[in-house]
Amino acid sequence: PLIGELVAEILELHGYETQRVETGTDALRVVSEWHPQAVVLDLMLPDIDGFEVCRQIRSAGSPLDPGILMLTGM
């Protein structure tokens, strides 16, 4: 959570709007509702792992397919 807060703060300082969530389920919901240009994703989430979240985002076939950056301590 601390690293997520730090990444969000740095992005916001550079003018980006951010949404931060703690679970893969919440990430999928936010991506489907908010349609971000990019997603910074951890592999180790408490419910759905980051690989599965990435697969589900990609399989949704959104015309606004976000770039995905895997940032993890794994």
Side-chain angles (χ1 to χ4, degrees):
L2 185 58
I3 292 173
E5 290 174 26
L6 179 61
V7 169
E9 187 174 317
I10 290 169
L11 290 170
E12 289 167 0
L13 285 172
H14 285 80
Y16 294 95
E17 185 178 344
T18 66
Q19 290 278 335
R20 203 172 71 75
V21 298
E22 300 285 328
T23 67
T25 302
D26 287 342
L28 292 170
R29 179 185 49 77
V30 167
V31 167
S32 70
E33 293 173 0
W34 194 43
H35 307 292
Q37 292 180 329
V39 175
V40 179
L41 183 61
D42 193 350
L43 295 179
M44 299 180 293
L45 299 170
D47 57 350
I48 306 170
D49 72 45
F51 288 120
E52 182 59 27
V53 172
C54 182
R55 280 196 263 316
Q56 289 188 35
I57 291 171
R58 290 290 180 243
S59 70
S62 169
L64 302 173
D65 208 10
I68 298 176
L69 171 67
M70 296 288 202
L71 180 63
T72 184
M74 188 171 164

